[in-house]
Structure formats: C-alpha cells, structure tokens
Amino acid sequence: MKKLSFLFLSILLASSIFAQSETNWAKTAVTDLDYMHQMYRDNHAGGVDPENPTFNKKLEKEYKKARKNALKAKTEFDYQKSLRGFLTPFKDGHMSVWFNNKEYMSSFIKKSSLKNFKQLRKPISIENFADNSAWVYINTFNEKEGLFSKLVPELKKLKNKDIIVFDVRYNGGGSSYNGELLLSALYGKQYIDYVKQQVFKDEKEYYRATEWSLKSFKEAAKFYDVEEQTKDEIACLADAIADGKDICWYKEEKENISSAQKEPVAARVYVLTDNVCFSACLDFMDIIKGIGNITQIGQATDGDTKYMQKRDAELPSGLGKFSISYNGYINRPRKDNETYKPDYKFKGDMDDTKAIQEWIIKLDKKIQDKK
C-alpha cells in the first residue's frame, strides 16, 4: 500500500512539473496584464476623478513596471506576483486580483487569525445571549435584500432588550442598502435617512460612464434585488453615455429632512468589529457613528478608498479574476484607508464568541456602574 501511495505521489509530482513546463508563464502573464491594464484604463472611476489627476499617470507607470516583470515570468508564482505587483501600489482593497477560483474573501482572511473561516461565520441571524439580550450576526452584506428583509420584524422586537450587539466580524462588504435596512428597522427609516443626510451632506457621487460600467451596475442591482432603488443611477449612466460624457454625477432625489426623531430604543447597542470590516461594512459604520450612541467594541476596522462599487472581470487565461471600481466619491466623510477604532478594545481571541460575550456583559455592567 505504501509503494502504491509513493507511486501515485510520484505521478502527481511528475504531472505537475510537466504542466508547469508546458505553460509559457511569461506569455500568460503579459496577456492577462495587458487586459487588466486596458480594463482599468477604460473603466476605473479613478481615471475621471477630478480630485485625482495623477491616477492615469500612476496607472501607466505601474503597468510598465509590472510588464517588465511579467516578461520574465518562468513559474506560476512569478505570473501571480507580476499581476499582484501591478495593483499593490494603489493600496486599494477594491482593486485586487485573485487566482484559481479562490473565494474572494481569502484576501481578508489573511488579515485575521482564522483557521476555520467558513465554520466561524455564522449565518445572518439573531440569537439570545445573557439575560434579555440579543446578538445579531451580520457576517456579510453580500446577500440578496430578501434575506435581510426577513430580519426586519425580528429587529423591531428587540428595542426593549437590555443589550443588542451587531456582530460584523468577518464582514467584507456587499450592498450598503442592506445595512441601512437593519438600522432603519431599529431606529426608523426617516431617522436613518436624516442621519445619512447629515453624515454625507458634503459628499458627491459619480460613475465612470462606459458601457461596461452600465452593464456591471445593472447586474449588481439585479443580484441584490434593488433595481427599483437604483433605476435613477442606471438612467444617469445611460444618459451620460448617450451624450458622449465620460462621467455621470449622481444625486439621490430626496426631500430635505430638517429634523427627525429616532424611534425609542431602550436597549444599549454595541457594534462588534474586527479588521476584516471593509466596503459596505464601513458604510454601515459611517451611519452608526452618525447615530452617535452606539458603542464600538472589538478591533479597529479595515479601511478602503473612495472608489467603491466594483465588479469582477475574468482574466483571459481563465486562471483568476480581478475587480474594477466604476464608482467614486468626492468629499467622503472618511479619508482613504481611514479606519474606525473601537471605544473598547477586546484583547483576546476575536474568533471566540463565548469569551467576547462574557467580556461584553462585564463591560456593560462597568459602563452602567459609572453612570
């Protein structure tokens, strides 16, 4: 049996070496890199950003450097390194490439100590913990809107709990609409709209007006079941393209809310963050900070740039995918890659939910005793 296993292993190793030698990694790297460069040049929001006039120059500079490395690629490692090297200098988590059909979240997993990522990511749900307290698991906003809608009536019932914890550990983003839906269930939609208006009052949103951007936006809206909410953005993009413009400035048409009362919530609300919190998770945090009486605990979040909405494109080789942001913001409330730091830091294992819950109960008592 051992001889058979050794023989099988030898065959596998030989096939792997043969496959490596049969692949022209330099040619593959150059082909994929050229396509990435073309797609970023023609569709990325940074290319038309009036606040970032050096984006295109930087894109060309990094492309030339990466192409020199791509031409020298002899192994799959060299191939991947050249493509990653093209994007790394931009320091933008929405501008990434990954390989071999690996889950996109793998780029976030590297930042944590997780050993069993999928097992630790509990489904989006609500559980009781301690006495008269609720734990809301939100490991992603990357689910269809219908799933979050089902939580709304359950969240409305939590207002008189002692403690509510929004657990956004492992949350790498998704649709910002889903986060707003959850907060509206607790505090009221008009109040959350008012908070958004205050938080983002100086912000301007735009889209890179290309056929690829329009198609990508429509696909995303369909996936998240929010086509009705995004029809104005789709029209803005389509009109800009028809008029030969390269940018669509979008302003959500909503009545000005001079003031709004939040629905009464007796519970003390906490949000548990880790260093995976990114993109739509950070949008969720923007609103939470605007609400003002929600305590952030755990670890500091990740950070992102002002180039937000993105879609994935497949590499010509079929060996992986890369992401392109076709939407951007001017005057965002956060600087690029700025993080949100917790009011109270948890120094233990961020994967140990039971230990965190015990810590929160003690922390909450300590906070209440000081009042």
Side-chain angles (χ1 to χ4, degrees):
M1 190 67 184
K2 287 182 180 178
K3 288 182 180 179
L4 184 60
S5 299
F6 178 75
L7 177 61
F8 181 66
L9 180 60
S10 300
I11 292 170
L12 281 178
L13 287 170
S15 341
S16 175
I17 292 167
F18 179 74
Q20 288 274 339
S21 63
E22 286 294 297
T23 302
N24 185 330
W25 289 111
K27 183 178 179 181
T28 304
V30 168
T31 301
D32 283 354
L33 185 66
D34 286 352
Y35 181 67
M36 287 172 68
H37 168 252
Q38 173 201 326
M39 290 296 286
Y40 284 118
R41 182 195 64 203
D42 296 345
N43 300 287
H44 194 279
V48 293
D49 182 357
E51 286 191 334
N52 191 2
T54 63
F55 179 87
N56 289 321
K57 186 182 290 187
K58 183 178 178 67
L59 185 72
E60 296 307 312
K61 177 184 175 183
E62 298 305 331
Y63 165 62
K64 288 176 182 176
K65 284 165 58 178
R67 205 172 194 278
K68 286 181 181 179
N69 292 325
L71 287 166
K72 300 174 188 175
K74 295 181 179 179
T75 66
E76 186 173 9
F77 176 80
D78 296 336
Y79 155 78
Q80 293 186 2
K81 187 178 178 182
S82 64
L83 267 58
R84 286 197 179 105
F86 173 38
L87 304 183
T88 300
F90 291 90
K91 298 179 181 178
D92 186 347
H94 282 117
M95 203 172 179
S96 57
V97 60
W98 59 103
F99 304 96
N100 301 325
N101 299 318
K102 289 182 181 177
E103 189 180 353
Y104 176 68
M105 284 299 294
S106 62
S107 60
F108 297 110
I109 294 171
K110 293 174 185 176
K111 298 177 184 177
S112 71
S113 60
L114 304 183
K115 294 178 182 177
N116 300 296
F117 187 73
K118 289 183 180 179
Q119 288 78 4
L120 290 164
R121 288 180 75 203
K122 295 200 70 168
I124 296 165
S125 57
I126 300 173
E127 289 183 1
N128 292 323
F129 88 103
D131 295 325
N132 197 36
S133 296
W135 194 274
V136 187
Y137 289 99
I138 319 171
N139 66 69
T140 181
F141 289 121
N142 196 30
E143 296 287 348
K144 291 194 175 183
E145 178 268 338
L147 182 60
F148 286 87
S149 288
K150 291 175 184 176
L151 281 187
V152 169
E154 298 302 313
L155 276 168
K156 288 180 180 292
K157 298 175 186 176
L158 304 180
K159 296 183 181 184
N160 291 319
K161 293 285 186 180
D162 291 333
I163 300 171
I164 298 173
V165 177
F166 286 115
D167 179 358
V168 294
R169 287 175 301 167
Y170 326 130
N171 190 318
S175 171
S176 303
Y177 176 77
N178 290 325
E180 294 170 22
L181 195 66
L182 299 185
L183 293 172
S184 295
L186 202 59
Y187 295 104
K189 185 178 186 307
Q190 187 176 26
Y191 177 71
I192 294 304
D193 284 344
Y194 171 72
V195 170
K196 282 178 59 185
Q197 179 180 286
Q198 298 305 304
V199 171
F200 305 115
K201 61 183 178 181
D202 296 323
E203 186 177 81
K204 293 181 180 179
E205 182 179 11
Y206 72 91
Y207 291 87
R208 178 81 181 261
T210 69
E211 292 291 349
W212 183 86
S213 298
L214 179 59
K215 180 183 176 184
S216 297
F217 191 90
K218 286 180 177 178
E219 288 173 352
K222 186 176 181 180
F223 175 81
Y224 290 117
D225 289 345
V226 291
E227 289 174 284
E228 183 63 27
Q229 288 83 5
T230 59
K231 62 182 180 181
D232 290 340
E233 286 141 296
I234 291 171
C236 175
L237 262 170
D239 290 345
I241 293 168
D243 292 341
K245 298 177 181 177
D246 58 8
I247 193 167
C248 147
W249 290 99
Y250 174 72
K251 185 174 183 180
E252 191 172 4
E253 293 298 330
K254 280 193 174 183
E255 68 173 297
N256 184 57
I257 307 172
S258 57
S259 64
Q261 293 293 318
K262 71 174 72 169
E263 293 182 9
V265 177
R268 299 177 293 280
V269 184
Y270 295 84
V271 58
L272 174 64
T273 60
D274 62 7
N275 61 1
V276 177
C277 183
F278 180 75
S279 194
C281 181
L282 290 169
D283 292 338
F284 183 69
M285 291 300 298
D286 289 336
I287 300 174
I288 278 180
K289 295 298 182 180
I291 293 170
N293 65 341
I294 298 176
T295 306
Q296 183 187 352
I297 54 177
Q299 291 180 345
T301 65
D302 194 359
D304 63 9
T305 73
K306 61 180 177 176
Y307 304 124
M308 295 288 290
Q309 292 192 40
K310 59 92 181 175
R311 291 296 280 174
D312 304 333
E314 189 163 341
L315 294 167
S317 65
L319 294 174
K321 294 182 179 182
F322 61 104
S323 56
I324 309 167
S325 297
Y326 52 87
N327 147 280
Y329 294 87
I330 305 296
N331 298 324
R332 254 199 347 169
R334 274 180 290 113
K335 295 177 182 177
D336 283 354
N337 294 311
E338 182 179 349
T339 64
Y340 280 120
K341 295 178 174 59
D343 301 299
Y344 298 93
K345 185 177 181 179
F346 181 68
K347 297 179 180 178
D349 182 357
M350 283 298 292
D351 299 333
D352 191 339
T353 302
K354 186 177 179 181
I356 295 172
Q357 289 178 341
E358 290 173 354
W359 172 72
I360 290 172
I361 293 166
K362 292 177 183 176
L363 174 65
D364 182 71
K365 185 177 184 306
K366 190 182 294 184
I367 293 171
Q368 295 314 304
D369 287 344
K370 287 182 179 179
K371 291 182 178 179

